PDB file of all heavy atoms in Angstrom:
ATOM      1  N   SER O   1       0.832  -1.210   0.003  1.00 98.00           N
ATOM      2  CA  SER O   1       0.002   0.000   0.000  1.00 98.00           C
ATOM      3  C   SER O   1       0.860   1.255  -0.003  1.00 98.00           C
ATOM      4  O   SER O   1       0.584   2.213  -0.723  1.00 98.00           O
ATOM      5  CB  SER O   1      -0.937   0.010   1.218  1.00 98.00           C
ATOM      6  OG  SER O   1      -1.877  -1.023   1.135  1.00 98.00           O
ATOM      7  N   ILE O   2       1.916   1.261   0.816  1.00 98.00           N
ATOM      8  CA  ILE O   2       2.816   2.413   0.870  1.00 98.00           C
ATOM      9  C   ILE O   2       3.535   2.591  -0.469  1.00 98.00           C
ATOM     10  O   ILE O   2       3.616   3.695  -0.992  1.00 98.00           O
ATOM     11  CB  ILE O   2       3.819   2.283   2.031  1.00 98.00           C
ATOM     12  CG1 ILE O   2       3.093   2.400   3.374  1.00 98.00           C
ATOM     13  CG2 ILE O   2       4.930   3.324   1.933  1.00 98.00           C
ATOM     14  CD1 ILE O   2       3.952   2.080   4.596  1.00 98.00           C
ATOM     15  N   ASP O   3       4.056   1.468  -1.025  1.00 98.00           N
ATOM     16  CA  ASP O   3       4.737   1.555  -2.314  1.00 98.00           C
ATOM     17  C   ASP O   3       3.835   2.139  -3.390  1.00 98.00           C
ATOM     18  O   ASP O   3       4.256   2.997  -4.178  1.00 98.00           O
ATOM     19  CB  ASP O   3       5.234   0.177  -2.746  1.00 98.00           C
ATOM     20  CG  ASP O   3       6.441  -0.319  -1.949  1.00 98.00           C
ATOM     21  OD1 ASP O   3       7.069   0.497  -1.232  1.00 98.00           O
ATOM     22  OD2 ASP O   3       6.743  -1.538  -2.031  1.00 98.00           O
ATOM     23  N   ALA O   4       2.594   1.672  -3.446  1.00 98.00           N
ATOM     24  CA  ALA O   4       1.655   2.154  -4.459  1.00 98.00           C
ATOM     25  C   ALA O   4       1.362   3.642  -4.277  1.00 98.00           C
ATOM     26  O   ALA O   4       1.356   4.402  -5.239  1.00 98.00           O
ATOM     27  CB  ALA O   4       0.356   1.353  -4.408  1.00 98.00           C
ATOM     28  N   LYS O   5       1.159   4.061  -3.031  1.00 98.00           N
ATOM     29  CA  LYS O   5       0.848   5.465  -2.772  1.00 98.00           C
ATOM     30  C   LYS O   5       2.048   6.371  -3.083  1.00 98.00           C
ATOM     31  O   LYS O   5       1.904   7.412  -3.718  1.00 98.00           O
ATOM     32  CB  LYS O   5       0.398   5.658  -1.331  1.00 98.00           C
ATOM     33  CG  LYS O   5       0.061   7.087  -0.970  1.00 98.00           C
ATOM     34  CD  LYS O   5      -1.076   7.613  -1.833  1.00 98.00           C
ATOM     35  CE  LYS O   5      -1.365   9.071  -1.529  1.00 98.00           C
ATOM     36  NZ  LYS O   5      -2.327   9.640  -2.457  1.00 98.00           N
ATOM     37  N   LEU O   6       3.237   5.965  -2.629  1.00 98.00           N
ATOM     38  CA  LEU O   6       4.422   6.789  -2.876  1.00 98.00           C
ATOM     39  C   LEU O   6       4.753   6.862  -4.365  1.00 98.00           C
ATOM     40  O   LEU O   6       5.236   7.892  -4.847  1.00 98.00           O
ATOM     41  CB  LEU O   6       5.613   6.293  -2.061  1.00 98.00           C
ATOM     42  CG  LEU O   6       5.488   6.459  -0.539  1.00 98.00           C
ATOM     43  CD1 LEU O   6       6.748   5.946   0.170  1.00 98.00           C
ATOM     44  CD2 LEU O   6       5.195   7.897  -0.153  1.00 98.00           C
ATOM     45  N   ALA O   7       4.460   5.801  -5.115  1.00 98.00           N
ATOM     46  CA  ALA O   7       4.686   5.835  -6.557  1.00 98.00           C
ATOM     47  C   ALA O   7       3.799   6.889  -7.212  1.00 98.00           C
ATOM     48  O   ALA O   7       4.232   7.591  -8.129  1.00 98.00           O
ATOM     49  CB  ALA O   7       4.415   4.465  -7.175  1.00 98.00           C
ATOM     50  N   THR O   8       2.563   7.025  -6.735  1.00 97.00           N
ATOM     51  CA  THR O   8       1.677   8.060  -7.290  1.00 97.00           C
ATOM     52  C   THR O   8       2.160   9.457  -6.934  1.00 97.00           C
ATOM     53  O   THR O   8       1.771  10.423  -7.583  1.00 97.00           O
ATOM     54  CB  THR O   8       0.220   7.902  -6.804  1.00 97.00           C
ATOM     55  OG1 THR O   8       0.164   8.143  -5.401  1.00 97.00           O
ATOM     56  CG2 THR O   8      -0.330   6.532  -7.137  1.00 97.00           C
ATOM     57  N   MET O   9       3.019   9.560  -5.929  1.00 97.00           N
ATOM     58  CA  MET O   9       3.544  10.858  -5.498  1.00 97.00           C
ATOM     59  C   MET O   9       4.906  11.144  -6.128  1.00 97.00           C
ATOM     60  O   MET O   9       5.562  12.131  -5.791  1.00 97.00           O
ATOM     61  CB  MET O   9       3.642  10.886  -3.976  1.00 97.00           C
ATOM     62  CG  MET O   9       2.296  10.700  -3.282  1.00 97.00           C
ATOM     63  SD  MET O   9       2.439  10.433  -1.509  1.00 97.00           S
ATOM     64  CE  MET O   9       2.779  12.092  -0.968  1.00 97.00           C
ATOM     65  N   GLY O  10       5.372  10.237  -7.015  1.00 97.00           N
ATOM     66  CA  GLY O  10       6.630  10.455  -7.716  1.00 97.00           C
ATOM     67  C   GLY O  10       7.867   9.943  -6.984  1.00 97.00           C
ATOM     68  O   GLY O  10       8.983  10.219  -7.415  1.00 97.00           O
ATOM     69  N   LEU O  11       7.679   9.180  -5.911  1.00 97.00           N
ATOM     70  CA  LEU O  11       8.818   8.605  -5.172  1.00 97.00           C
ATOM     71  C   LEU O  11       9.034   7.169  -5.637  1.00 97.00           C
ATOM     72  O   LEU O  11       8.090   6.464  -5.960  1.00 97.00           O
ATOM     73  CB  LEU O  11       8.559   8.630  -3.669  1.00 97.00           C
ATOM     74  CG  LEU O  11       8.381  10.030  -3.057  1.00 97.00           C
ATOM     75  CD1 LEU O  11       7.870   9.934  -1.636  1.00 97.00           C
ATOM     76  CD2 LEU O  11       9.690  10.787  -3.087  1.00 97.00           C
ATOM     77  N   THR O  12      10.311   6.742  -5.691  1.00 97.00           N
ATOM     78  CA  THR O  12      10.619   5.385  -6.117  1.00 97.00           C
ATOM     79  C   THR O  12      11.441   4.673  -5.067  1.00 97.00           C
ATOM     80  O   THR O  12      12.237   5.278  -4.343  1.00 97.00           O
ATOM     81  CB  THR O  12      11.401   5.384  -7.447  1.00 97.00           C
ATOM     82  OG1 THR O  12      12.565   6.191  -7.290  1.00 97.00           O
ATOM     83  CG2 THR O  12      10.551   5.912  -8.580  1.00 97.00           C
ATOM     84  N   ARG O  13      11.246   3.360  -5.013  1.00 98.00           N
ATOM     85  CA  ARG O  13      12.008   2.524  -4.089  1.00 98.00           C
ATOM     86  C   ARG O  13      13.372   2.249  -4.708  1.00 98.00           C
ATOM     87  O   ARG O  13      13.482   1.991  -5.906  1.00 98.00           O
ATOM     88  CB  ARG O  13      11.253   1.216  -3.859  1.00 98.00           C
ATOM     89  CG  ARG O  13      11.733   0.454  -2.676  1.00 98.00           C
ATOM     90  CD  ARG O  13      10.730  -0.604  -2.297  1.00 98.00           C
ATOM     91  NE  ARG O  13      11.289  -1.465  -1.265  1.00 98.00           N
ATOM     92  CZ  ARG O  13      10.670  -2.494  -0.734  1.00 98.00           C
ATOM     93  NH1 ARG O  13       9.453  -2.802  -1.162  1.00 98.00           N
ATOM     94  NH2 ARG O  13      11.233  -3.204   0.196  1.00 98.00           N
ATOM     95  N   SER O  14      14.426   2.308  -3.868  1.00 97.00           N
ATOM     96  CA  SER O  14      15.780   2.217  -4.374  1.00 97.00           C
ATOM     97  C   SER O  14      16.686   1.464  -3.389  1.00 97.00           C
ATOM     98  O   SER O  14      16.422   1.465  -2.188  1.00 97.00           O
ATOM     99  CB  SER O  14      16.336   3.640  -4.592  1.00 97.00           C
ATOM    100  OG  SER O  14      17.716   3.594  -4.851  1.00 97.00           O
ATOM    101  N   ASP O  15      17.758   0.856  -3.919  1.00 95.00           N
ATOM    102  CA  ASP O  15      18.749   0.214  -3.045  1.00 95.00           C
ATOM    103  C   ASP O  15      19.678   1.245  -2.405  1.00 95.00           C
ATOM    104  O   ASP O  15      20.350   0.948  -1.426  1.00 95.00           O
ATOM    105  CB  ASP O  15      19.585  -0.797  -3.835  1.00 95.00           C
ATOM    106  CG  ASP O  15      18.745  -2.018  -4.235  1.00 95.00           C
ATOM    107  OD1 ASP O  15      17.751  -2.316  -3.551  1.00 95.00           O
ATOM    108  OD2 ASP O  15      19.086  -2.650  -5.253  1.00 95.00           O
ATOM    109  N   ASP O  16      19.746   2.429  -2.982  1.00 95.00           N
ATOM    110  CA  ASP O  16      20.535   3.527  -2.423  1.00 95.00           C
ATOM    111  C   ASP O  16      19.592   4.723  -2.210  1.00 95.00           C
ATOM    112  O   ASP O  16      19.636   5.713  -2.952  1.00 95.00           O
ATOM    113  CB  ASP O  16      21.683   3.902  -3.366  1.00 95.00           C
ATOM    114  CG  ASP O  16      22.599   4.955  -2.743  1.00 95.00           C
ATOM    115  OD1 ASP O  16      22.692   5.033  -1.505  1.00 95.00           O
ATOM    116  OD2 ASP O  16      23.199   5.743  -3.534  1.00 95.00           O
ATOM    117  N   PRO O  17      18.738   4.635  -1.162  1.00 96.00           N
ATOM    118  CA  PRO O  17      17.656   5.620  -1.012  1.00 96.00           C
ATOM    119  C   PRO O  17      18.091   6.936  -0.368  1.00 96.00           C
ATOM    120  O   PRO O  17      19.115   7.004   0.322  1.00 96.00           O
ATOM    121  CB  PRO O  17      16.671   4.898  -0.110  1.00 96.00           C
ATOM    122  CG  PRO O  17      17.559   4.054   0.750  1.00 96.00           C
ATOM    123  CD  PRO O  17      18.668   3.595  -0.154  1.00 96.00           C
ATOM    124  N   ASP O  18      17.258   7.938  -0.583  1.00 96.00           N
ATOM    125  CA  ASP O  18      17.425   9.224   0.105  1.00 96.00           C
ATOM    126  C   ASP O  18      16.973   9.126   1.552  1.00 96.00           C
ATOM    127  O   ASP O  18      17.487   9.813   2.415  1.00 96.00           O
ATOM    128  CB  ASP O  18      16.609  10.312  -0.599  1.00 96.00           C
ATOM    129  CG  ASP O  18      17.072  10.574  -2.027  1.00 96.00           C
ATOM    130  OD1 ASP O  18      18.285  10.440  -2.284  1.00 96.00           O
ATOM    131  OD2 ASP O  18      16.224  10.888  -2.865  1.00 96.00           O
ATOM    132  N   PHE O  19      15.979   8.257   1.790  1.00 97.00           N
ATOM    133  CA  PHE O  19      15.499   8.065   3.179  1.00 97.00           C
ATOM    134  C   PHE O  19      14.968   6.651   3.352  1.00 97.00           C
ATOM    135  O   PHE O  19      14.702   5.954   2.385  1.00 97.00           O
ATOM    136  CB  PHE O  19      14.444   9.102   3.561  1.00 97.00           C
ATOM    137  CG  PHE O  19      13.123   8.972   2.838  1.00 97.00           C
ATOM    138  CD1 PHE O  19      12.074   8.255   3.397  1.00 97.00           C
ATOM    139  CD2 PHE O  19      12.922   9.577   1.620  1.00 97.00           C
ATOM    140  CE1 PHE O  19      10.857   8.143   2.756  1.00 97.00           C
ATOM    141  CE2 PHE O  19      11.703   9.489   0.958  1.00 97.00           C
ATOM    142  CZ  PHE O  19      10.667   8.757   1.530  1.00 97.00           C
ATOM    143  N   TYR O  20      14.851   6.252   4.613  1.00 97.00           N
ATOM    144  CA  TYR O  20      14.340   4.950   4.982  1.00 97.00           C
ATOM    145  C   TYR O  20      13.007   5.105   5.698  1.00 97.00           C
ATOM    146  O   TYR O  20      12.754   6.110   6.370  1.00 97.00           O
ATOM    147  CB  TYR O  20      15.310   4.206   5.897  1.00 97.00           C
ATOM    148  CG  TYR O  20      16.519   3.668   5.157  1.00 97.00           C
ATOM    149  CD1 TYR O  20      17.637   4.458   4.961  1.00 97.00           C
ATOM    150  CD2 TYR O  20      16.514   2.377   4.649  1.00 97.00           C
ATOM    151  CE1 TYR O  20      18.733   3.981   4.282  1.00 97.00           C
ATOM    152  CE2 TYR O  20      17.616   1.889   3.956  1.00 97.00           C
ATOM    153  CZ  TYR O  20      18.722   2.691   3.786  1.00 97.00           C
ATOM    154  OH  TYR O  20      19.800   2.213   3.088  1.00 97.00           O
ATOM    155  N   ILE O  21      12.187   4.065   5.569  1.00 97.00           N
ATOM    156  CA  ILE O  21      10.893   4.030   6.230  1.00 97.00           C
ATOM    157  C   ILE O  21      10.926   2.945   7.302  1.00 97.00           C
ATOM    158  O   ILE O  21      11.407   1.843   7.055  1.00 97.00           O
ATOM    159  CB  ILE O  21       9.760   3.736   5.228  1.00 97.00           C
ATOM    160  CG1 ILE O  21       9.696   4.845   4.174  1.00 97.00           C
ATOM    161  CG2 ILE O  21       8.423   3.580   5.945  1.00 97.00           C
ATOM    162  CD1 ILE O  21       8.703   4.575   3.060  1.00 97.00           C
ATOM    163  N   ASP O  22      10.409   3.294   8.468  1.00 97.00           N
ATOM    164  CA  ASP O  22      10.248   2.333   9.557  1.00 97.00           C
ATOM    165  C   ASP O  22       8.775   2.286   9.909  1.00 97.00           C
ATOM    166  O   ASP O  22       8.108   3.338   9.978  1.00 97.00           O
ATOM    167  CB  ASP O  22      11.077   2.749  10.766  1.00 97.00           C
ATOM    168  CG  ASP O  22      11.194   1.634  11.805  1.00 97.00           C
ATOM    169  OD1 ASP O  22      10.924   0.472  11.459  1.00 97.00           O
ATOM    170  OD2 ASP O  22      11.534   1.943  12.956  1.00 97.00           O
ATOM    171  N   ILE O  23       8.251   1.095  10.125  1.00 97.00           N
ATOM    172  CA  ILE O  23       6.847   0.895  10.486  1.00 97.00           C
ATOM    173  C   ILE O  23       6.807   0.152  11.801  1.00 97.00           C
ATOM    174  O   ILE O  23       7.490  -0.869  11.965  1.00 97.00           O
ATOM    175  CB  ILE O  23       6.095   0.071   9.412  1.00 97.00           C
ATOM    176  CG1 ILE O  23       6.211   0.716   8.040  1.00 97.00           C
ATOM    177  CG2 ILE O  23       4.646  -0.146   9.813  1.00 97.00           C
ATOM    178  CD1 ILE O  23       5.789  -0.184   6.899  1.00 97.00           C
ATOM    179  N   LEU O  24       6.019   0.637  12.727  1.00 97.00           N
ATOM    180  CA  LEU O  24       5.841  -0.008  14.023  1.00 97.00           C
ATOM    181  C   LEU O  24       4.358  -0.024  14.328  1.00 97.00           C
ATOM    182  O   LEU O  24       3.670   0.984  14.156  1.00 97.00           O
ATOM    183  CB  LEU O  24       6.604   0.733  15.117  1.00 97.00           C
ATOM    184  CG  LEU O  24       6.474   0.163  16.520  1.00 97.00           C
ATOM    185  CD1 LEU O  24       7.038  -1.249  16.593  1.00 97.00           C
ATOM    186  CD2 LEU O  24       7.155   1.059  17.525  1.00 97.00           C
ATOM    187  N   SER O  25       3.864  -1.165  14.784  1.00 94.00           N
ATOM    188  CA  SER O  25       2.452  -1.303  15.070  1.00 94.00           C
ATOM    189  C   SER O  25       2.266  -2.000  16.402  1.00 94.00           C
ATOM    190  O   SER O  25       3.064  -2.870  16.773  1.00 94.00           O
ATOM    191  CB  SER O  25       1.797  -2.107  13.954  1.00 94.00           C
ATOM    192  OG  SER O  25       0.450  -2.375  14.272  1.00 94.00           O
ATOM    193  N   GLN O  26       1.212  -1.615  17.104  1.00 92.00           N
ATOM    194  CA  GLN O  26       0.881  -2.298  18.357  1.00 92.00           C
ATOM    195  C   GLN O  26      -0.618  -2.192  18.618  1.00 92.00           C
ATOM    196  O   GLN O  26      -1.265  -1.270  18.168  1.00 92.00           O
ATOM    197  CB  GLN O  26       1.673  -1.723  19.517  1.00 92.00           C
ATOM    198  CG  GLN O  26       1.372  -0.289  19.850  1.00 92.00           C
ATOM    199  CD  GLN O  26       2.191   0.218  21.017  1.00 92.00           C
ATOM    200  OE1 GLN O  26       2.763  -0.554  21.773  1.00 92.00           O
ATOM    201  NE2 GLN O  26       2.247   1.517  21.183  1.00 92.00           N
ATOM    202  N   ASP O  27      -1.132  -3.177  19.340  1.00 86.00           N
ATOM    203  CA  ASP O  27      -2.524  -3.157  19.769  1.00 86.00           C
ATOM    204  C   ASP O  27      -2.625  -2.317  21.012  1.00 86.00           C
ATOM    205  O   ASP O  27      -1.765  -2.378  21.894  1.00 86.00           O
ATOM    206  CB  ASP O  27      -3.023  -4.566  20.092  1.00 86.00           C
ATOM    207  CG  ASP O  27      -3.279  -5.394  18.849  1.00 86.00           C
ATOM    208  OD1 ASP O  27      -3.708  -4.805  17.849  1.00 86.00           O
ATOM    209  OD2 ASP O  27      -3.078  -6.606  18.892  1.00 86.00           O
TER     210      ASP O  27
END
C-alpha cells in the first residue's frame, strides 16, 4: 500500500535511497 501510494507521488524505491521508512504497530 505504501509503495503504491508513494509511486503516485513520484517517489521510487531504491537500493541507495534518500531516506528509509520504519513501520511499528501495536494493539
